Amino acid sequence: MTTFRKHSSSSFNFAVHLSLTTQSRSMLVCQGPGIGSVTHKPTWALGARTKKWLLADVISTVEFSHSGDLLATGDKGGRVVIFQREQENKSRPHSRGEYNVYSTFQSHEPEFDYLKSLEIEEKINKIRWLPQQSAAHFLLSTNDKTIKLWKISERDKRAEGYNLKDEDGRLRDPFRITALRVPILKPMDLMVEASPRRIFANAHTYHINSISVNSDHETYLSADDLRINLWHLEITDRSFNIVDIKPANMEELTEVITAAEFHPHQCNVLVYSSSKGTIRLCDMRSSALCDQHSKFFEEPEDPSSRSFFSEIISSVSDVKFSHSGRYMMTRDYLSVKVWDLNMESRPVETHQVHEYLRSKLCSLYENDCIFDKFECCWNGSDRSTYSCAWQCSHLGSTWPGAGEGSHSRVWSSGPGGRLRPCSAIMTGSYNNFFRMFDRTTWRDVTLEASRENSKPRASLKPRRVCAGGKRKKDEVSVDSLDFSKKILHTAWHPAENIIAVAATNNLYIFQDKAN
Amino acid sequence: MEVQKEAQRIMTLSVWKMYHSRMQRGGLRLHRSLQLSLVMRSARELYLSAKVEAQEPEVPLPPARSPDPCLHPPREAEAAAEAAPSDGEQPSPEPMDTQEAPRAEETPARCAQRPAKVSRKRRSCSLSDGGDAALVPSKKARLEEEEEEEERASSDVLDRLQPPPAQAEGAFPNLARVLQRRFSGLLNCSPAAPPTATPACEAKPACRPADNMLNVLVRAVVAF
């Protein structure tokens, strides 16, 4: 129940084993072992030789599929790029685990709403994969107003030998058809097609911030600032409104919905977070309109930390259920909180992401960084073991959660070869830093996603930020942080220790080398 | 004084941000507008509380006020609470205008200034003093800005606005003149202020009663 305390030890063994393989921008195929840093797309400025990146290349969402073999990214230009993990190959034993581009398609285009005279951005706000039920893959991608269901399928055979048309597709002359034949399937180069199967439009007045697929695999929710709608995947012309917090008089508006998610196992339970830092859990069985919450999670404000901007920084930017469904995690501007669904009064854990920014809130307000919406993610849930990756020397904390283990399926061995459950959470920060918190051992680490500081196949070095006073060697001082380099979107492989980190227009994929 | 300056600076900045957010692609973001208005309100409270501390205690305003909520837009309770005990200036049309000039340096640039013509309606609801006139919502300004910028004002918003449009148009020249004067005063005093927005596009005053009222900007702009 206590706030996470930083351990002063410098041995962060998890970081030691993360490796990165860089690769050139023009080639999107990984060259080395492990996984590579992949530039999201070619970023040459028009007409110029300099490598300037375009605003449309900024990655706006990252999501692993349920199996982890596919990784989807969406960007501000409305494009979706899907990476696929290379299968194990005896001829190239080191290439296992590389992610290469699998498919690229334009998901959303800019639109213009004539009635309201405003442009609808094509930026992809969220991508959510559907569980795979056939050879094809399905994902939902959304911009501010419209959600689309995309089918990504492979085609590696082609029918040849038609009677009525020749190989080019032109119709054959009827006089030349003298015999009948049955077309036969012949192999062709693998082609990946993406086609929009459903378009769910015109249901949101405000900007969509979240989508979440339900555990029944038939419905999903979409949330905007004031309403949450429930859709059926097969029905596009109507949706059910299940949460509506719009006041009768808009002048009385005090909070908006910032994120929403379905429970991973209970298809009637959803949570949504608000700009006031509260989370509401709703049960759809209680009533058709879930304006009355079943549970209300709010941490009482610490009066000593109240400041001018405390209302803004308490806004929850992301909420994620743990894989077990017993816990949920919320991200506000300065911290990550883990909540037990059975306790509404306060979170069970609070991890400070970048507390050194608390004194800089005014400058962050000036450069708009205080409005950044960071996401957070849990580690995978598989029981895959890996040896000696972490040194799980338990700090003997009073936190009771070390034994629960039901959601922390990643095991690691400590001294003596004992296996322990490992639960970790990850979130981004500025200066291309991202943070990982090991909930079992109470260790945290700051890592950097950048080309300059990551050599191929080298391990990531933990970074430290010096909040004040004398700056030690290798520390970065708060004033030298680059606030334009922010990591808002991260994703963790559902089964293994592979993470994807989006740093503006670059995508970094790190893997635990101990595998 | 430092606190006042800082609060004023933040209010100016918020105004600029709110104006700028309107020009962004994708339209106005409700969450962002809400956050900006929260900051503006906090800055305003800070400014007023600093001002209260700075001023000498004056004769409190006469209690015989009859605020008629039907006729007048609501005033914020905190402005009343802070302005009433501290500022004893009688709110009257003429002194308000003349007092604005010397206070042009102090008051926040945010609000459209009330033209003298309209202030007679406000006498009964005199929760603001002359110096803080800019902080109190201006009925004219609001109507003016709504007409100019947001064609999609909702019906309940329009219902609340009592003065007929003819009166508003008549008041517009005064409004523009006063706004210009105020804005130039502000720009002179804070060189870091953002580039001038046209007065008509000025963000609306963020003065609402303490109980859950946001600024007019949110109301008018988000009137889908």
Side-chain angles (χ1 to χ4, degrees):
Chain A
M1 316 294 180
T2 57
T3 303
F4 181 79
R5 287 189 299 267
K6 265 180 128 171
H7 196 255
S8 60
S9 159
S10 60
S11 61
F12 294 105
N13 292 313
F14 179 61
V16 166
H17 294 283
L18 283 182
S19 63
L20 159 72
T21 304
T22 56
Q23 64 183 59
S24 68
R25 280 172 193 251
S26 51
M27 283 171 32
L28 293 175
V29 176
C30 294
Q31 285 177 329
I35 358 184
S37 157
V38 179
T39 303
H40 188 60
K41 63 188 305 297
T43 55
W44 304 99
L46 290 172
R49 281 287 182 182
T50 54
K51 294 182 195 176
K52 277 176 68 76
W53 53 267
L54 307 170
L55 201 61
D57 293 355
V58 173
I59 299 174
S60 53
T61 183
V62 183
E63 185 81 359
F64 276 101
S65 66
H66 288 264
S67 64
D69 283 338
L70 295 178
L71 173 67
T73 63
D75 65 14
K76 272 195 175 174
R79 280 173 304 252
V80 171
V81 179
I82 301 178
F83 300 88
Q84 186 187 44
R85 193 177 185 191
E86 288 300 321
Q87 300 306 314
E88 276 194 56
N89 196 340
K90 283 193 186 141
S91 59
R92 292 180 65 200
H94 295 295
S95 74
R96 181 184 169 277
E98 286 178 12
Y99 279 84
N100 298 322
V101 176
Y102 179 64
S103 171
T104 304
F105 56 93
Q106 184 77 28
S107 171
H108 286 76
E109 298 275 358
E111 291 170 23
F112 195 78
D113 183 343
Y114 296 98
L115 280 178
K116 295 177 194 149
S117 294
L118 42 87
E119 192 177 3
I120 299 171
E121 265 193 296
E122 68 275 25
K123 174 172 84 107
I124 308 292
N125 290 335
K126 282 288 188 311
I127 289 177
R128 289 288 181 259
W129 289 92
L130 264 57
Q132 191 176 9
Q133 288 166 335
S134 64
H137 300 271
F138 288 87
L139 61 81
L140 287 169
S141 73
T142 181
N143 67 348
D144 284 338
K145 299 287 186 188
T146 306
I147 307 135
K148 294 189 183 180
L149 175 70
W150 287 88
K151 176 181 179 183
I152 297 107
S153 50
E154 294 181 3
R155 185 195 291 255
D156 60 353
K157 293 184 185 55
R158 189 181 57 197
E160 282 181 13
Y162 284 99
N163 285 298
L164 297 179
K165 55 180 179 175
D166 60 18
E167 301 313 316
D168 295 339
R170 287 180 305 208
L171 288 175
R172 285 173 74 190
D173 216 359
F175 303 110
R176 303 192 187 228
I177 301 174
T178 54
L180 282 178
R181 56 184 178 174
V182 177
I184 48 177
L185 292 174
K186 290 205 176 142
M188 59 179 262
D189 289 338
L190 178 68
M191 193 167 70
V192 181
E193 300 172 319
S195 59
R197 305 303 278 185
R198 306 271 186 277
I199 296 180
F200 306 91
N202 301 324
H204 284 280
T205 311
Y206 303 97
H207 301 283
I208 297 176
N209 52 53
S210 321
I211 50 175
S212 176
V213 183
N214 206 350
S215 49
D216 61 7
H217 303 163
E218 286 183 356
T219 56
Y220 73 96
L221 65 79
S222 59
D224 66 19
D225 290 324
L226 296 178
R227 298 191 179 100
I228 300 180
N229 291 336
L230 179 71
W231 301 83
H232 192 282
L233 284 166
E234 301 290 329
I235 301 169
T236 59
D237 61 352
R238 74 196 86 134
S239 66
F240 290 100
N241 176 239
I242 50 178
V243 173
D244 188 345
I245 63 168
K246 181 177 178 180
N249 186 359
M250 278 297 279
E251 273 201 35
E252 292 157 19
L253 180 73
T254 54
E255 62 180 336
V256 297
I257 298 172
T258 51
E261 197 180 45
F262 267 122
H263 192 279
H265 306 304
Q266 298 168 28
C267 58
N268 51 292
V269 172
L270 63 107
V271 292
Y272 66 92
S273 60
S274 81
S275 55
K276 277 189 172 175
T278 63
I279 306 101
R280 287 172 177 81
L281 184 143
C282 297
D283 189 332
M284 293 197 288
R285 297 173 299 188
S286 58
S287 67
L289 189 61
C290 298
D291 280 353
Q292 301 295 322
H293 52 260
S294 298
K295 294 197 182 185
F296 182 72
F297 299 85
E298 184 179 27
E299 184 174 23
E301 193 186 358
D302 182 11
S304 64
S305 67
R306 178 161 177 76
S307 79
F308 195 76
F309 298 101
S310 23
E311 280 169 319
I312 305 191
I313 61 170
S314 65
S315 170
V316 173
S317 54
D318 193 20
V319 64
K320 289 265 169 46
F321 274 106
S322 68
H323 296 288
S324 67
R326 186 182 158 190
Y327 295 92
M328 66 177 175
M329 165 169 59
T330 59
R331 174 76 156 99
D332 51 71
Y333 189 64
L334 294 179
S335 66
V336 178
K337 296 179 183 172
V338 178
W339 301 77
D340 186 330
L341 289 192
N342 299 321
M343 186 165 79
E344 303 167 47
S345 52
R346 63 183 183 281
V348 292
E349 291 167 34
T350 302
H351 303 275
Q352 300 299 335
V353 181
H354 36 219
E355 183 67 13
Y356 46 80
L357 294 183
R358 194 179 283 272
S359 52
K360 309 253 177 243
L361 290 180
C362 200
S363 339
L364 294 169
Y365 179 71
E366 286 170 23
N367 61 14
D368 274 352
C369 285
I370 206 172
F371 302 112
D372 287 335
K373 293 186 174 34
F374 291 94
E375 292 176 9
C376 50
C377 59
W378 295 87
N379 69 336
S381 59
D382 195 33
R383 288 181 181 274
S384 62
T385 63
Y386 55 99
S387 58
C388 304
W390 299 18
Q391 261 193 8
C392 287
S393 56
H394 202 59
L395 294 180
S397 69
T398 56
W399 177 55
E404 54 83 25
S406 61
H407 65 274
S408 54
R409 307 271 187 212
V410 180
W411 298 78
S412 73
S413 70
R418 242 175 347 135
L419 287 179
R420 282 177 182 271
C422 271
S423 172
I425 54 184
M426 171 170 65
T427 188
S429 178
Y430 293 104
N431 209 61
N432 280 348
F433 287 168
F434 59 100
R435 303 264 283 142
M436 280 190 186
F437 302 94
D438 181 351
R439 298 175 61 224
T440 318
T441 62
W442 274 21
R443 286 170 179 266
D444 68 292
V445 66
T446 304
L447 302 170
E448 183 176 1
S450 75
R451 276 177 198 283
E452 294 78 27
N453 295 323
S454 309
K455 302 232 176 10
R457 275 173 266 151
S459 303
L460 283 184
K461 203 176 61 162
R463 311 298 304 228
R464 294 186 79 93
V465 178
C466 163
K470 202 164 178 317
R471 185 177 81 91
K472 301 192 191 79
K473 184 177 161 245
D474 283 348
E475 277 188 356
V476 180
S477 77
V478 181
D479 300 316
S480 63
L481 292 176
D482 187 348
F483 290 100
S484 66
K485 295 184 183 167
K486 53 191 88 168
I487 292 181
L488 303 174
H489 311 284
T490 57
W492 205 311
H493 192 283
E496 301 181 28
N497 268 9
I498 303 171
I499 57 175
V501 174
T504 319
N505 63 325
N506 286 326
L507 181 71
Y508 293 83
I509 304 177
F510 300 106
Q511 178 170 276
D512 188 349
K513 202 156 68 169
N515 262 337
Chain B
M1 199 54 205
E2 288 302 317
V3 175
Q4 271 189 300
K5 278 206 163 95
E6 185 64 17
Q8 184 184 342
R9 186 180 72 85
I10 290 180
M11 271 194 285
T12 313
L13 188 61
S14 308
V15 157
W16 185 82
K17 282 185 193 297
M18 204 164 301
Y19 167 67
H20 225 68
S21 70
R22 229 174 267 161
M23 305 203 298
Q24 276 176 357
R25 285 186 76 215
L28 203 77
R29 305 250 156 204
L30 184 58
H31 189 199
R32 180 70 64 100
S33 311
L34 184 65
Q35 288 177 316
L36 287 173
S37 59
L38 285 175
V39 171
M40 259 201 259
R41 190 173 63 176
S42 303
R44 218 196 118 274
E45 288 172 12
L46 190 67
Y47 176 82
L48 285 179
S49 63
K51 197 170 150 73
V52 163
E53 287 170 9
Q55 282 180 352
E56 293 172 355
E58 307 215 14
V59 177
L61 288 168
R65 276 172 279 152
S66 55
D68 187 353
C70 297
L71 288 182
H72 305 282
R75 304 279 174 255
E76 61 236 280
E78 65 241 35
E82 287 165 9
S86 68
D87 202 327
E89 295 152 330
Q90 291 297 324
S92 61
E94 285 72 37
M96 254 190 283
D97 269 339
T98 56
Q99 276 161 17
E100 278 152 24
R103 285 182 202 251
E105 308 276 316
E106 282 178 27
T107 52
R110 181 163 32 93
C111 302
Q113 189 50 28
R114 244 178 319 190
K117 217 184 279 187
V118 194
S119 50
R120 81 186 115 105
K121 263 207 175 184
R122 306 177 132 237
R123 196 175 302 156
S124 63
C125 192
S126 52
L127 299 184
S128 63
D129 53 30
D132 290 329
L135 301 173
V136 180
S138 157
K139 205 189 311 184
K140 280 294 156 264
R142 190 165 52 225
L143 176 63
E144 200 48 50
E145 291 163 276
E146 279 178 352
E147 282 182 355
E148 284 186 351
E149 63 201 356
E150 303 298 337
E151 303 84 357
R152 54 186 182 270
S154 65
S155 56
D156 56 6
V157 167
L158 289 175
D159 286 343
R160 294 171 38 84
L161 298 168
Q162 291 304 312
Q167 194 172 352
E169 283 157 21
F172 179 65
N174 290 339
L175 178 62
R177 171 172 52 82
V178 171
L179 272 179
Q180 261 174 326
R181 196 166 34 122
R182 174 133 320 234
F183 229 165
S184 58
L186 182 92
L187 283 180
N188 289 339
C189 87
S190 57
T196 317
T198 60
C201 294
E202 177 70 305
K204 302 190 197 306
C207 313
R208 291 280 83 110
D211 54 333
N212 297 340
M213 291 288 232
L214 259 195
N215 59 18
V216 176
L217 171 67
V218 175
R219 177 186 68 172
V221 163
V222 184
F224 286 100

